[in-house]
Amino acid sequence: MLDYTKADWTKRAAGLTLRHQAFIGGKFVDAASGETFQSINPATDAVLADVAACGLEDVNRAVASGRAAFEAGVWSRTDPAHRKAVLLKLADLIRANLEEFALLDSLDMGKLVTDAATIDAPGSAHFFQWYAEAIDKIYDEVAPTAPGDLAIVSRVPLGVVGAVTPWNFPLDMATWKAAAALAAGNSVVLKPAEQSPLSALRLAELAVEAGVPDGVFNVVPGFGHTAGQALGLHMDVDCLAFTGSTAIGKKFMEYSGQSNLKQVWPETGGKSPNLVFADCENLDAAADMAAFGIFFNQGEVCSANSRLYVDRSIQAELVEKLIARAQGMQPGDPLDPASKMGAIVDRKQTEGVMKFVDAGKQTANLVAGGEQVQIGGKGCFVQPTIFDDVHHDDPLARDEIFGPVLSVIPFDKEEDAVRMANDSVYGLAASVWTDNLSRALRVSDRLMAGTVSVNTVDALSAMTPFGGMKQSGFGRDLSLHSFDKYTALKTTWIKYAT
């Protein structure tokens, strides 16, 4: 796979079978209304499939299917070792179909197929494996009580978990929610982003093949204002896990209050700062990772390091290095292994990115990129773009752009850098570059972010929680802590004769 050519990937893409129906009760079914929406390849403008547009009736069917399976205990009350074996098999099935998953996400939302094949799809398999192996490592508790009393604190599944996931990492984000929720014994109703539903539908099919019982894992493709809202307002959904914009995260909080007070776990927007101090000796490494932190996945990353705060004394040198790296990361055909960036997910998102860029040309110093381009006369592509000397209050530095746009902001003192970094409604991630250990610890401690990466960017693993502070939400994915979202603590108190 690593030595595939563009022709190899193109040939394999032509042979794909695309699942386009909803997946409810272990079967592919049409939307009750019969309505569909088009899944469009943003790199070629080609229609990939007419996908079932699910609405309230479909969500009702999926939730009912999940509830019936949960109450029957075919998954929720099985031996943890059984759930472990099934999810390990699902991880193996994902690995056996890496090419297919990589192509589905690349075609559906424009990401580089090589990234999907080497990062996204293997990562999804790894996370399913990790949560499978964690199932039988989590113990209940016995509370200290007086003689004659036995108090057991158990961690129990909630029931039906709704998951609403974004389009930037379609397979991975579905996995981040579903793997932990399924491992805990819940049923899942997944609503993938309408821009990228294809890999989630294939994942559900493989889950049944692995041994997940019918009804335990359902997928309802559709729009946010229909399928998403129906999940958020549903009286029989016990938990809603969401990754997406802050505005929509707030809507799900409202839906909870309007319905059954279901738990809502939002992981929302970001505008992550990257602080580079003058005592960072390896500016080449800082430039490499700063470019990666904003241009990877076309900048369509919630934790993208889009604000670069740099000590004024090294600003010119670092910006020069960044310009060179941007010039070497021009967008191209996502199926071409030589391409360094792919396509923006759709025309609406492309237009939104370009509005920020065009406005920024009037307020800041454009030093790289700044243009929308096409490949072969088609597609949604934006050049890697760098603005220098951006004012901290400029929308370039305040708003989440969700595209390959970097704002460089100089500072003179450490306290100024920290103050500006924290002066944001978001608090998802941050990075610090320094060779001074005391500064690294001091600054990291003061930054209000869910993850602070020192001398790297956007560090994560299955072992550490991912999520934010402030209006980046309070949901946490990954690590054992994510089980907290999908389980309840239940006390069983027993009186016995002594």
Side-chain angles (χ1 to χ4, degrees):
M1 190 188 313
L2 293 178
D3 60 354
Y4 280 178
T5 64
K6 176 182 175 180
D8 293 330
W9 283 116
T10 302
K11 180 179 179 180
R12 284 164 171 78
L16 284 178
T17 298
L18 304 180
R19 282 75 179 169
H20 56 88
Q21 296 170 292
F23 194 83
I24 300 174
K27 299 178 181 178
F28 284 111
V29 295
D30 292 332
S33 66
E35 295 181 2
T36 62
F37 63 92
Q38 291 183 332
S39 176
I40 298 174
N41 184 338
T44 65
D45 304 325
V47 176
L48 297 168
D50 292 314
V51 181
C54 292
L56 176 59
E57 185 175 345
D58 306 293
V59 170
N60 286 341
R61 285 192 295 163
V63 173
S65 178
R67 178 63 62 190
F70 182 79
E71 296 296 341
V74 292
W75 182 255
S76 59
R77 293 197 296 274
T78 55
D79 184 342
H82 171 72
R83 297 201 304 273
K84 175 179 179 177
V86 170
L87 294 184
L88 285 174
K89 184 175 180 181
L90 178 54
D92 288 339
L93 286 172
I94 294 171
R95 293 189 179 98
N97 292 274
L98 283 183
E99 291 180 16
E100 180 181 9
F101 277 115
L103 284 165
L104 289 174
D105 278 1
S106 178
L107 295 174
D108 220 5
M109 62 75 55
K111 70 168 61 235
L112 295 179
V113 71
T114 49
D115 284 348
T118 59
I119 300 173
D120 297 36
S124 184
H126 170 69
F127 292 130
F128 266 108
Q129 177 180 336
W130 194 88
Y131 279 106
E133 292 173 343
I135 291 173
D136 55 8
K137 312 299 190 299
I138 297 177
Y139 293 81
D140 294 334
E141 305 169 12
V142 175
T145 56
D149 291 310
L150 175 63
I152 303 169
V153 181
S154 305
R155 188 180 290 274
V156 298
L158 293 174
V160 177
V161 172
V164 179
T165 54
W167 45 258
N168 56 336
F169 293 93
L171 178 62
D172 266 0
M173 293 297 99
T175 295
W176 284 20
K177 311 299 186 191
L182 291 172
N186 296 286
S187 297
V188 174
V189 179
L190 170 66
K191 204 296 282 187
E194 61 268 23
Q195 296 89 341
S196 57
L198 300 181
S199 60
L201 292 168
R202 179 62 172 139
L203 178 64
E205 184 179 34
L206 288 183
V208 170
E209 182 178 337
V212 174
D214 292 351
V216 172
F217 188 25
N218 307 275
V219 179
V220 284
F223 296 97
H225 65 277
T226 51
Q229 183 182 60
L231 266 179
L233 289 170
H234 205 288
M235 295 296 290
D236 205 25
V237 170
D238 300 287
C239 169
L240 195 292
F242 170 73
T243 294
S245 73
T246 296
I248 301 302
K250 291 179 179 179
K251 281 188 177 294
F252 279 113
M253 299 290 286
E254 294 175 6
Y255 295 155
S256 173
Q258 294 167 12
S259 55
N260 61 341
L261 284 180
K262 62 177 64 66
Q263 296 183 38
V264 174
W265 296 100
E267 191 269 288
T268 51
K271 190 70 177 177
S272 299
N274 185 3
L275 286 63
V276 182
F277 291 93
D279 55 18
C280 170
E281 294 186 6
N282 193 346
L283 277 188
D284 283 320
D288 286 341
M289 294 307 292
F292 172 83
I294 185 59
F295 300 139
F296 172 67
N297 207 49
Q298 302 77 247
E300 297 167 325
V301 182
C302 56
S303 54
N305 284 223
S306 54
R307 292 185 286 155
L308 178 63
Y309 294 100
V310 56
D311 189 298
R312 199 180 302 274
S313 66
I314 59 171
Q315 178 184 1
E317 181 181 3
L318 182 57
V319 168
E320 182 180 357
K321 293 178 182 295
L322 284 167
I323 292 171
R325 284 154 178 78
Q327 291 172 344
M329 298 181 71
Q330 297 303 307
D333 185 341
L335 296 185
D336 187 348
S339 298
K340 303 302 181 184
M341 274 192 5
I344 304 296
V345 68
D346 60 18
R347 293 193 179 281
K348 180 180 178 181
Q349 182 65 20
T350 304
E351 291 170 359
V353 171
M354 290 309 301
K355 285 182 180 179
F356 278 103
V357 171
D358 292 340
K361 292 176 181 178
Q362 309 303 316
T363 61
N365 181 21
L366 177 67
V367 296
E371 299 297 331
Q372 180 180 346
V373 297
Q374 292 186 319
I375 307 299
K378 298 179 179 180
C380 304
F381 299 89
V382 174
Q383 294 176 329
T385 298
I386 301 173
F387 286 97
D388 195 13
D389 289 318
V390 176
H391 192 278
H392 175 64
D393 291 328
D394 192 307
L396 288 172
R398 308 296 293 183
D399 298 337
E400 185 176 36
I401 300 173
F402 226 66
V405 182
L406 178 66
S407 298
V408 180
I409 306 165
F411 66 85
D412 296 299
K413 298 179 180 179
E414 177 184 305
E415 53 265 36
D416 293 334
V418 173
R419 174 183 53 78
M420 289 189 292
N422 283 335
D423 183 21
S424 171
V425 299
Y426 301 113
L428 185 53
S431 297
V432 179
W433 290 82
T434 177
D435 290 338
N436 183 313
L437 179 59
S438 293
R439 169 171 279 160
L441 294 171
R442 181 174 63 246
V443 172
S444 297
D445 185 58
R446 293 179 60 194
L447 289 173
M448 296 295 292
T451 297
V452 179
S453 304
V454 178
N455 294 334
T456 186
V457 301
D458 217 9
L460 64 82
S461 81
M463 285 75 75
T464 55
F466 181 90
M469 301 177 180
K470 299 187 280 189
Q471 292 191 47
S472 289
F474 49 84
R476 290 293 186 274
D477 288 313
L478 307 181
S479 83
L480 293 178
H481 293 286
S482 63
F483 281 116
D484 296 340
K485 296 190 300 187
Y486 304 123
T487 56
L489 295 178
K490 178 179 181 178
T491 298
T492 303
W493 195 295
I494 302 170
K495 282 280 190 180
Y496 63 94
T498 58

